[in-house]
């Protein structure tokens, strides 16, 4: 018996070691592919067509083909897709860094438009896609789909790809469009996930007025609670760092605290079944406004590049895996006998995505323009077309939701589930590659670069030394002059259109929402939570003199 037990233990250890070795080999190959994506992306950086997302997708597809050939058609990827890996580890740094780096003046200037597009627009798109799928898919013999599956399809394909938006639009060249499309994308993803979770939790076989009102109330609660949780986490981190001032002993502590507090807000939101995307996004905005200015200069540089690097690697990781997973043989086995039907289903879904987005972008843009007094704040028809086109890409959020809905019963056992997953993959690949490739040329054709640059210089200076900063800020600390954005890509020497700036200055209202928020922020928020001009005053600290300098400069400017 002892011999048998010993041999069994030895055999088990051998199997475990073999499994661990395979995992190590897979991770080595995946890291090598990540390096290849970065190198190739750098070489293609000046291309008007390619970007890191499409490069990673292409490398993932090529790698999948190689793995299929070497394994005899048994597998196409190195790692197994996991929703936890995506939602818990890869998505948080991407969304947080977007909130941390976003130009807040542009974002909040168009806040109502962004919320209208992201919330109301998603509901419109969700309705059109769900009803369209319900109408057309009955004509195809793809298996049994319940009403919950059709509604889930509406939520899945209403989720735009915020990650790819970061790659195809430039925050400096097109600040208005970037803030609209990306801001809408973040709210859109959050709305789609809230809708998806509500669909899974509600009894859809018995829909009535009470259920609809309950659904709407739950929707508003999730939005408000998620936002407040992110704001609270950001303010807490700012208060702790301002009061304790870790930097006088070790900058590592304050950097670690910022990273962990940001991630803690995301995990806490998941724990309470809130929208973690909204939570970590607003946590990033609050941290950039308060916490980032309370740390030492070296910590500012470190945190800015750390968040950007984590986000960059996570983006490449996602698209690389999507490319490999697209060739998974198990998903395509059930649809291989009727490829025409699979193409038809994918085409219908793609057409519904196009129609669903157009159904809210143009009408809501028209309504938004009616509320804007300044012509520069209104969306022209060309800009509306760009907003419509740039938001057509579907990505990793759609794939993760599709896996969640259609893999629970096993996509290898049910034809309908396999068809829905393969159709989702087809739409994601087509929209990312085709729409992603065409977005940059479309922006250059519809909206020339010179127009973007002059608009960006006149409305949102990227440097505190810019002459328009003193003209347009009216003695108040402008959000865009903070350090996070000072180190963004420099657009080079440009002749500043002074008449335009003066006209903007004379035409600007001195009593706006931003004006009153500034007064409240300077009087109550910054003295408690810190921020630019209200850094910790600790004897001998490296930021004490900077704080006095900012205070004196602000006082002189106001005088």
């Amino acid at each position: 018996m002892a011999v048998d037990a010993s041999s069994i233990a030895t055999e088990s250890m051998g199997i475990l070691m073999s499994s661990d070795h395979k995992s190590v080999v897979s991770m080595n190959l995946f890291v090598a592919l990540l390096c290849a994506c970065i190198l190739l992306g750098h070489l293609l950086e000046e291309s008007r067509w390619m970007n890191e997302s499409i490069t990673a997708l292409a490398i993932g597809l090529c790698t999948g083909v190689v793995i299929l050939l070497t394994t005899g058609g048994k597998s196409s990827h190195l790692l197994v897709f996991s929703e936890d890996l995506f939602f818990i580890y890869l998505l948080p740094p991407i969304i947080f860094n977007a909130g941390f780096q976003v130009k807040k003046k542009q974002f909040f200037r168009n806040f109502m438009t962004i919320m209208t597009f992201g919330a109301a627009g998603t509901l419109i798109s969700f309705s059109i896609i769900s009803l369209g799928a319900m109408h057309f898919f009955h004509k195809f013999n793809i298996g049994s789909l319940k009403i919950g599956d059709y509604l889930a399809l509406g939520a899945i394909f209403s989720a735009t790809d915020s990650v790819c938006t970061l790659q195809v639009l430039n925050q400096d060249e097109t600040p208005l469009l970037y803030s609209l499309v990306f801001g809408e994308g973040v709210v859109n993803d959050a709305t789609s996930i809230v809708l998806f979770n509500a669909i899974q939790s509600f009894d859809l076989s018995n829909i009535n007025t009470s259920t609809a009102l309950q659904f709407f109330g739950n929707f508003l609660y999730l939005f408000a609670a998620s936002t407040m949780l992110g704001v609270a986490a950001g303010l807490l981190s700012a208060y702790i760092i301002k009061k304790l001032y870790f930097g006088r002993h070790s900058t590592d502590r304050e950097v670690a605290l910022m990273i962990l507090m940001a991630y803690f807000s995301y995990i806490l939101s998941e724990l309470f079944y809130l929208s973690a995307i909204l939570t970590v996004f607003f946590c990033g905005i609050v941290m950039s406004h308060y916490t980032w200015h309370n740390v030492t200069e070296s910590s500012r540089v470190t945190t800015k590049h750390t968040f950007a690097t984590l986000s960059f690697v996570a983006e490449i990781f996602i698209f690389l895996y999507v490319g490999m997973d697209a060739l998974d043989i198990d998903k395509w086995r059930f649809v291989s006998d009727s490829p025409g039907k699979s193409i038809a289903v994918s085409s219908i879904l793609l057409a519904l995505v196009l129609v669903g987005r157009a159904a809210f972008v143009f009408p809501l843009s028209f309504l938004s323009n009616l509320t804007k007094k300044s012509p520069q704040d209104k969306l022209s028809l060309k800009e509306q077309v760009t907003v419509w086109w740039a938001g057509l890409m579907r990505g990793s959020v759609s794939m993760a939701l599709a896996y969640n809905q259609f893999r629970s019963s096993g996509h290898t056992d049910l034809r309908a589930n396999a068809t829905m997953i393969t159709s989702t993959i087809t739409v994601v690949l087509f929209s990312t590659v085709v729409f992603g490739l065409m977005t940059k040329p479309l922006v250059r054709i519809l909206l020339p670069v010179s127009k973007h640059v002059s608009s960006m210089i006149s409305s949102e200076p990227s440097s505190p030394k810019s002459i328009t900063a003193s003209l347009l800020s009216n003695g108040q600390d402008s959000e865009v002059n903070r350090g996070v954005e000072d180190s963004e890509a420099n657009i080079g020497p440009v002749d500043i259109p002074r008449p335009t700036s003066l006209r903007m200055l004379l035409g600007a209202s001195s009593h706006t929402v931003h004006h009153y928020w500034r007064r409240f922020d300077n009087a109550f928020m910054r003295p408690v939570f810190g921020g630019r001009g209200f850094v910790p005053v600790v004897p001998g600290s490296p930021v004490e003199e900077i704080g006095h300098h900012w205070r004196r400069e602000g006082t002189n400017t106001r005088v």
Side-chain angles (χ1 to χ4, degrees):
M1 292 293 293
V3 175
D4 293 339
S6 176
S7 62
I8 292 173
T10 304
E11 183 178 351
S12 300
M13 286 294 294
I15 294 173
L16 288 174
M17 291 178 64
S18 175
S19 177
D20 290 343
H21 181 70
K22 289 180 180 178
S23 299
V24 171
V25 171
S26 298
M27 286 303 300
N28 272 278
L29 291 174
F30 208 92
V31 171
L33 289 173
L34 288 174
C35 295
C37 290
I38 293 173
L39 292 174
L40 191 57
H42 172 72
L43 295 175
L44 298 174
E45 186 175 7
E46 299 302 324
S47 172
R48 62 182 300 179
W49 300 95
M50 298 295 289
N51 56 66
E52 270 91 358
S53 302
I54 298 175
T55 302
L57 267 178
I59 292 178
L61 285 170
C62 295
T63 306
V65 172
V66 173
I67 297 175
L68 273 177
L69 294 176
T70 55
T71 59
K74 295 180 180 180
S75 176
S76 67
H77 42 68
L78 299 170
L79 303 174
V80 177
F81 182 85
S82 169
E83 295 163 39
D84 291 338
L85 173 67
F86 172 72
F87 282 109
I88 302 299
Y89 301 109
L90 297 178
L91 195 59
I94 296 173
I95 302 301
F96 175 81
N97 184 65
F100 193 74
Q101 302 282 1
V102 75
K103 293 183 183 294
K104 296 192 291 296
K105 190 174 182 179
Q106 279 287 352
F107 180 81
F108 286 105
R109 180 185 294 169
N110 301 283
F111 184 74
M112 291 308 299
T113 304
I114 289 171
M115 292 302 295
T116 304
F117 279 18
T122 303
L123 292 174
I124 295 173
S125 178
F126 162 78
S127 303
I128 291 176
I129 294 173
S130 298
L131 293 174
M134 205 176 299
H135 174 74
F136 289 107
F137 287 177
H138 281 304
K139 301 178 181 179
F140 298 95
N141 184 23
I142 59 175
S144 59
L145 290 175
K146 301 177 182 178
I147 185 172
D149 294 325
Y150 290 115
L151 295 177
L153 283 174
I156 289 168
F157 289 102
S158 295
T160 61
D161 188 9
S162 305
V163 178
C164 206
T165 302
L166 296 171
Q167 302 287 342
V168 299
L169 289 179
N170 189 295
Q171 187 169 202
D172 291 326
E173 290 184 358
T174 55
L176 174 61
L177 294 184
Y178 182 94
S179 64
L180 282 178
V181 177
F182 177 74
E184 176 232 328
V186 173
V187 179
N188 175 288
D189 286 346
T191 307
S192 299
I193 293 173
V194 170
L195 282 172
F196 185 84
N197 292 335
I199 289 166
Q200 291 190 323
S201 60
F202 276 84
D203 182 14
L204 299 173
S205 61
N206 205 0
I207 300 177
N208 51 39
T209 306
S210 176
T211 306
L213 291 175
Q214 185 181 357
F215 177 85
F216 185 71
N218 185 48
F219 182 79
L220 293 179
Y221 160 74
L222 287 174
F223 258 82
S226 302
T227 302
M228 293 306 298
L229 179 59
V231 171
L235 292 177
L236 180 62
S237 68
Y239 183 80
I240 292 174
I241 291 180
K242 179 178 181 292
K243 285 297 182 183
L244 299 182
Y245 187 56
F246 294 95
R248 60 184 164 183
H249 298 301
S250 171
T251 59
D252 297 338
R253 290 191 181 98
E254 54 188 8
V255 173
L257 187 64
M258 284 187 69
I259 295 174
L260 292 176
M261 284 294 291
Y263 190 65
F264 179 67
S265 70
Y266 186 90
I267 297 299
L268 199 62
S269 184
E270 287 283 346
L271 179 66
F272 292 117
Y273 301 101
L274 301 175
S275 174
I277 291 179
L278 271 182
T279 298
V280 78
F281 179 72
F282 280 98
C283 180
I285 290 178
V286 173
M287 277 194 173
S288 71
H289 187 65
Y290 297 109
T291 313
W292 190 80
H293 295 282
N294 296 343
V295 300
T296 59
E297 192 65 30
S298 59
S299 295
R300 294 179 190 180
V301 177
T302 302
T303 51
K304 178 181 183 298
H305 290 289
T306 298
F307 292 141
T309 302
L310 290 174
S311 173
F312 177 71
V313 173
E315 290 170 20
I316 297 177
F317 189 103
I318 289 172
F319 284 102
L320 182 62
Y321 185 83
V322 168
M324 285 189 289
D325 194 62
L327 298 176
D328 188 0
I329 197 68
D330 289 334
K331 301 183 184 70
W332 296 97
R333 184 159 50 88
F334 275 101
V335 298
S336 59
D337 57 340
S338 55
K341 186 182 298 183
S342 178
I343 294 174
V345 171
S346 302
S347 301
I348 290 173
L349 287 173
L350 191 62
L352 290 173
V353 168
L354 292 166
V355 174
R357 184 159 181 82
F360 76 83
V361 168
F362 297 106
L364 294 182
S365 295
F366 174 76
L367 295 177
S368 176
N369 287 342
L370 294 178
T371 64
K372 301 292 179 63
K373 296 181 180 180
S374 173
Q376 293 182 341
D377 292 334
K378 295 183 179 181
L379 285 172
S380 65
L381 181 61
K382 291 182 178 179
E383 289 174 328
Q384 293 177 34
V385 172
T386 306
V387 170
W388 168 72
W389 183 271
L392 289 173
M393 290 171 284
R394 299 296 180 263
S396 46
V397 173
S398 296
M399 287 199 55
L401 295 180
Y403 273 103
N404 186 291
Q405 177 69 22
F406 298 109
R407 198 173 59 173
S408 57
S409 302
H411 63 73
T412 58
D413 298 329
L414 299 176
R415 178 182 296 274
N417 288 2
T419 303
M420 291 300 101
I421 290 180
T422 53
S423 298
T424 303
I425 292 172
T426 303
V427 172
V428 167
L429 288 178
F430 183 87
S431 62
T432 302
V433 174
V434 176
F435 298 149
L437 283 174
M438 295 296 296
T439 300
K440 284 185 178 180
L442 183 70
V443 171
R444 288 190 173 95
I445 293 172
L446 295 179
L447 306 167
V449 176
S450 58
K451 180 180 178 180
H452 304 157
V453 174
S454 63
S455 175
M456 186 266 292
I457 291 295
S458 61
S459 64
E460 195 161 347
S462 61
S463 169
K465 296 180 181 179
S466 172
I467 188 172
T468 55
S470 57
L471 283 174
L472 300 180
S473 63
N474 197 20
Q476 300 172 10
D477 296 329
S478 175
E479 277 305 318
V480 295
N481 295 335
R482 61 182 172 85
V484 174
E485 294 172 2
D486 290 345
S487 56
E488 289 177 351
N490 193 352
I491 57 169
V494 180
D495 293 333
I496 299 173
R498 298 174 190 274
T500 305
S501 300
L502 290 173
R503 282 196 298 271
M504 288 181 62
L505 175 64
L506 296 174
S509 174
S510 59
H511 297 286
T512 61
V513 175
H514 184 263
H515 168 77
Y516 289 114
W517 158 249
R518 269 293 177 209
R519 293 181 60 180
F520 173 79
D521 191 28
N522 290 332
F524 299 102
M525 298 296 289
R526 292 192 180 190
V528 177
F529 299 105
R532 189 162 67 88
F534 291 85
V535 291
V537 181
V538 178
S541 69
V543 292
E544 181 182 9
E545 295 183 2
I546 300 176
H548 288 304
H549 168 72
W550 279 112
R551 291 191 188 93
R552 288 196 302 269
E553 183 178 341
T555 303
N556 294 335
T557 307
R558 283 190 287 272
V559 172

